[in-house]
């Protein structure tokens, strides 16, 4: 049973989808914050929120069983993404469900601002019929500057074109040719747009680059009488600078749906003529809320029931099919990581993974993450998974490099791992036969074919008769059964150095390992424990 917490008010259609699923137990707990929120999150597998709740790093320090947070909406600025990634929690959003509603709200504000709809009605309610005071301006023929030509920016452009406006746009991630195809004149900088736009609207996230995008200096460049609209995120316009710009008359009007601090019920702007404001209503339509709630419920259902990830904002997306298609490689890589974690006697400083053959054409980023998870998971208290493994590795100063080669070798696919710890470098390579027969085929220069599961007794020895018999005798006296056995040489010649790997049904006692280590011709005896052959990591569908 997966436990789901709903942290903000969610449209009934989304809630119903989750509640109707017999695999889910759903609790609606709105208004949580701080420590109480952190404690609550740790008790659930998945969370759904809108913008009301604030998920700080402190809320995610002990993430417990939490695996996913879905934001029913676009902006994830109320969730600390770095902390979520570190905690191994995937964060997803619903990027398109409220695009149209927000674009329509932007157009509504442009029109209302131009025709003084708000103040004219206020004056009427006060008993005045003041036709002269509220003369507005027509949109047709005017220039609208749009900063940010993503989903909403483009939807605003299409609607403004229907109103016969000329569109100037700036977005560093939209090719100029594409902008022209959309009927938008591309600007090279925001500064270039400022003296030309009669209206300026922003549709970017709030980032270090977009914070105070329009402040005192930019306001001086604006076309006199310009009207500014923000339905994206508070903070993109410097609110104090807007007050001064309105006072000086440089700015003709301001319409804001979003504020640097929300809720915002008291702003000097609210008292000024030419200002129109709404309380973050861009996505507040029945249609948008139903759509984002439905999308959020679907994303969380897919993730919790199949492991598939879509619309993630902190990790690469992968669906269940993609995961299943590479499950064998993920397993081998994870097992190699687990093996190597138990090998060096000092902390690793560098890992190198080389993918050869078919596997090099697969999603090696995930296969690498599986190795990193295997390497770290037993050392760390926290849950380590495909989402946070690489980050956790790098945070510990462990370098991770990968190389791909599609050249065929002895095996159709080979995953070669190298871990450097102190002055020791361990090399191991694995492959999968069929779908789920995981094999260790190279270890420190020795070629062999050992099962990559369960308890492995590994030792180096001189390639002389009687070694396996002597080891087997000690294990027999301990009543430890040998399930599988592999020996390998560095070359085809007899008599040199060799390696032995025995799969044991039970771990040998320390005394047995010491006795084996004391055998003549034997050295470097180690016991390594790997998952059973049918045991999957939780991120691959188990647990
Ligand atoms: P999007 O990701 O589709 O588009 C954002 C665009 O901004 C991208 O094309 C990106 O290239 C561009 N961009 C990023 N940095 C830029 C910069 N420095 N200069 C110029 N362009 C830059 O997102 P979207 O769905 O269009 O949403 C846009 C914003 O609207 C988001 O902040 C979102 O949170 C907000 N939003 C608000 C409401 C509301 O209720 N008011 C509703 C939905 C979305
Ligand atoms: C969003 O980012 O989706 C909007 O701000 C709307 C909302 O918060 O619901």
């Amino acid at each position: 049973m997966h436990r789901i917490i709903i942290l903000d008010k969610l449209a009934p259609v989304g809630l119903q989808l989750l509640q109707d699923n017999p695999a889910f137990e759903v609790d609606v707990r709105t208004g949580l914050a701080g420590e109480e929120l952190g404690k609550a999150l740790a008790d659930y597998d998945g969370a759904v929120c809108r913008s009301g709740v604030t998920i700080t790093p402190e809320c995610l320090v002990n993430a417990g069983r939490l695996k996913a947070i879905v934001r029913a909406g676009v902006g994830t600025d109320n969730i600390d993404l770095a902390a979520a990634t570190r905690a191994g929690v995937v964060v997803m959003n619903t990027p398109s469900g409220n695009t149209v509603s927000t674009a329509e709200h932007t157009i509504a504000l442009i029109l209302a601002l131009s025709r003084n709809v708000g103040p004219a009605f206020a004056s009427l309610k006060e008993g005045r019929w003041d036709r002269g005071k509220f003369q507005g301006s027509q949109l047709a023929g005017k220039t609208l500057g749009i900063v940010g030509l993503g989903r909403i920016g483009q939807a605003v452009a299409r609607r403004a074109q229907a109103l016969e406006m000329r569109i100037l746009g700036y977005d560093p991630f939209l090719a100029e040719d594409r902008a022209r195809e959309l009927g938008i004149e591309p600007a090279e900088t925001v500064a270039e747009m400022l003296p030309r736009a009669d209206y300026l609207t922003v549709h970017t996230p709030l980032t270090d680059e977009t914070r105070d995008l329009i402040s005192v200096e930019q306001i001086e460049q604006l076309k006199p009488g310009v009207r500014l609209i923000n339905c994206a995120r508070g903070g993109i316009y410097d609110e104090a600078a807007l007050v001064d710009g309105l006072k000086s008359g440089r700015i003709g009007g301001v319409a804001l749906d979003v504020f640097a601090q929300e809720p915002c019920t008291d702003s000097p702007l609210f008292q000024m003529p030419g200002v129109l404001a709404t309380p973050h209503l861009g996505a507040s339509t029945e249609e948008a809320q139903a759509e984002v709630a439905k999308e959020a419920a679907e994303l969380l259902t897919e993730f919790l029931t199949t492991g598939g990830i879509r619309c993630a904002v902190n990790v690469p997306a992968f669906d269940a099919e993609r995961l299943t298609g590479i499950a064998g490689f993920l397993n081998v890589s994870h097992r190699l990581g687990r093996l190597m974690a138990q090998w060096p006697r000092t902390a690793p400083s560098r890992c190198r993974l080389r993918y050869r053959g078919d596997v090099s054409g697969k999603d090696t980023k995930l296969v690498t993450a599986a190795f990193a998870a295997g390497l770290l998971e037993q050392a760390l208290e926290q849950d380590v998974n495909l989402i946070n493994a690489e980050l956790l590795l790098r945070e510990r100063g462990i370098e991770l490099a990968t190389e791909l080669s599609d050249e065929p070798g002895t095996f159709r696919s080979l995953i070669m791992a190298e871990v450097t710890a102190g002055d020791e470098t361990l090399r191991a390579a694995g492959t999968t036969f069929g779908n789920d027969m995981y094999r260790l085929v190279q270890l420190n220069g020795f070629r062999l074919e050992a099962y990559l599961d369960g308890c492995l007794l590994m030792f180096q020895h001189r390639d002389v008769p009687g070694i396996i018999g002597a080891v087997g005798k000690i294990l027999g006296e301990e009543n430890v059964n040998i399930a599988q056995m592999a020996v390998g040489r560095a070359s085809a010649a007899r008599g040199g150095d060799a390696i032995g790997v025995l799969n044991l049904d039970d771990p040998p006692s320390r005394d047995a390992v010491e006795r084996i280590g004391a055998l003549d011709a034997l050295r470097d005896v180690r016991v390594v424990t790997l998952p059973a052959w049918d045991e999957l990591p939780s991120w691959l569908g188990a647990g």
Side-chain angles (χ1 to χ4, degrees):
M1 180 71 76
H2 297 292
R3 303 194 69 217
I4 295 172
I5 183 168
I6 311 295
L7 297 164
D8 288 313
K9 192 170 180 298
L10 194 68
V13 61
L15 197 58
Q16 200 65 49
L17 273 177
L18 295 171
Q19 284 169 337
D20 285 350
N21 192 321
F24 298 158
E25 185 185 314
V26 183
D27 291 330
V28 178
R29 295 177 63 183
T30 56
L32 295 178
E35 209 177 310
E36 197 188 1
L37 172 62
K39 275 197 189 136
L41 286 172
D43 278 343
Y44 293 87
D45 302 284
V48 180
C49 67
R50 287 179 55 205
S51 56
V53 72
T54 302
I55 303 180
T56 60
E58 293 72 33
C59 298
L60 294 165
V61 170
N62 296 310
R65 57 192 281 179
L66 187 69
K67 298 177 196 71
I69 301 171
V70 185
R71 161 75 159 98
V74 182
T76 47
D77 35 4
N78 56 327
I79 304 165
D80 193 292
L81 294 183
T85 308
R86 192 166 299 114
V89 174
V90 58
V91 180
M92 295 173 259
N93 71 350
T94 60
S96 53
N98 58 27
T99 300
V100 168
S101 289
T102 311
E104 286 182 356
H105 195 64
T106 308
I107 298 291
L109 294 184
I110 293 175
L111 282 163
L113 204 55
S114 301
R115 304 306 296 269
N116 301 305
V117 174
F121 183 46
S123 140
L124 194 54
K125 279 201 292 184
E126 283 164 10
R128 289 192 292 276
W129 187 259
D130 214 344
R131 296 185 66 206
K133 194 172 169 199
F134 297 113
Q135 181 174 294
S137 55
Q138 193 170 284
L139 296 188
K142 298 288 181 341
T143 298
L144 172 66
I146 305 181
V147 183
L149 293 164
R151 281 173 290 262
I152 298 172
Q154 289 185 28
V156 168
R158 282 194 295 279
R159 283 155 180 78
Q161 282 158 352
L163 294 168
E164 298 177 38
M165 297 186 86
R166 284 188 30 226
I167 316 292
L168 253 181
Y170 170 73
D171 189 320
F173 302 102
L174 187 78
E176 283 191 9
D177 286 353
R178 178 67 190 134
R180 287 204 177 84
E181 273 169 35
L182 295 168
I184 299 168
E185 183 187 335
E188 278 181 22
T189 57
V190 175
E192 185 189 319
M193 294 166 55
L194 301 179
R196 296 179 59 197
D198 299 296
Y199 295 80
L200 188 74
T201 182
V202 286
H203 298 283
T204 69
L206 179 67
T207 62
D208 287 346
E209 267 180 52
T210 60
R211 189 180 304 281
D212 292 339
L213 188 86
I214 301 298
S215 189
V216 178
E217 192 187 321
Q218 292 71 28
I219 287 174
E220 282 167 15
Q221 312 298 315
L222 287 166
K223 186 171 181 175
V226 63
R227 292 180 173 92
L228 304 178
I229 302 94
N230 185 358
C231 282
R233 279 294 175 266
I236 299 177
Y237 293 157
D238 172 352
E239 288 168 17
L242 293 182
V243 172
D244 292 342
L246 280 159
K247 275 187 189 154
S248 74
R250 169 69 75 168
I251 300 175
V254 168
L256 301 180
D257 183 47
V258 286
F259 301 87
Q261 291 298 325
E262 291 186 12
C264 174
T265 50
D266 183 20
S267 161
L269 283 164
F270 294 170
Q271 313 309 325
M272 303 188 74
V275 174
L276 181 63
T278 48
H280 204 142
L281 292 182
S284 292
T285 63
E286 206 179 310
E287 295 81 357
Q289 285 314 308
E291 193 52 40
V292 295
K294 185 169 154 285
E295 278 179 36
E298 287 167 352
L299 289 172
L300 191 57
T301 303
E302 182 175 342
F303 175 74
L304 291 177
T305 57
T306 72
I309 296 181
R310 284 187 293 124
C311 305
V313 294
N314 64 337
V315 286
F318 45 86
D319 57 26
E321 206 178 314
R322 194 163 140 216
L323 220 50
T324 313
I326 56 168
F329 298 129
L330 293 175
N331 256 310
V332 170
S333 191
H334 175 244
R335 283 158 195 266
L336 286 173
R338 278 281 282 267
L339 187 158
M340 296 182 113
Q342 297 169 67
W343 198 277
R345 311 213 192 273
T346 49
S349 56
R350 185 165 188 275
C351 306
R352 189 156 68 116
L353 286 168
R354 282 181 294 155
Y355 298 104
R356 185 165 191 170
D358 289 355
V359 62
S360 68
K362 307 287 181 195
D363 192 337
T364 51
K365 190 148 176 44
L366 288 183
V367 185
T368 302
F371 174 84
L375 194 72
L376 280 185
E377 66 194 4
Q378 290 189 306
L380 304 188
E381 191 70 51
Q382 73 172 98
D383 182 42
V384 181
N385 54 30
L386 293 189
I387 294 149
N388 60 2
E390 254 197 80
L391 175 86
L392 293 174
L393 203 70
R394 293 188 200 282
E395 276 187 353
R396 277 157 185 78
I398 304 171
E399 283 174 39
L400 181 60
T402 54
E403 279 173 35
L404 305 179
S405 159
D406 57 7
E407 280 175 30
T410 313
F411 300 94
R412 281 185 70 135
S413 283
L414 191 65
I415 301 173
M416 290 176 275
E418 198 177 280
V419 169
T420 305
D423 51 11
E424 193 181 21
T425 296
L426 171 70
R427 293 180 184 84
T431 191
T432 167
F433 297 155
N435 289 329
D436 55 4
M437 293 160 70
Y438 317 120
R439 295 291 184 270
L440 177 68
V441 293
Q442 282 174 27
L443 188 63
N444 286 338
F446 297 99
R447 282 176 296 163
L448 73 165
E449 193 198 312
Y451 284 52
L452 258 177
D453 55 68
C455 178
L456 275 61
L457 178 76
M458 309 171 121
F459 50 87
Q460 284 195 37
H461 59 100
R462 270 204 322 279
D463 189 19
V464 291
I467 296 290
I468 298 297
V471 173
K473 184 164 175 289
I474 296 172
L475 291 172
E477 284 163 10
E478 288 264 330
N479 207 21
V480 174
N481 190 46
I482 301 174
Q484 303 287 343
M485 192 176 74
V487 283
R489 295 169 172 159
S491 70
R494 24 193 304 182
D497 270 351
I499 196 160
V501 177
L502 307 185
N503 291 81
L504 307 179
D505 280 346
D506 300 293
S509 67
R510 182 190 288 261
D511 179 52
V513 176
E514 277 172 14
R515 284 173 63 204
I516 292 169
L519 287 172
D520 195 25
L522 229 106
R523 64 190 162 85
D524 210 7
V525 182
R526 291 163 194 258
V527 178
V528 164
T529 309
L530 298 180
W533 77 267
D534 58 350
E535 191 182 329
L536 296 176
S538 59
W539 38 262
L540 206 50

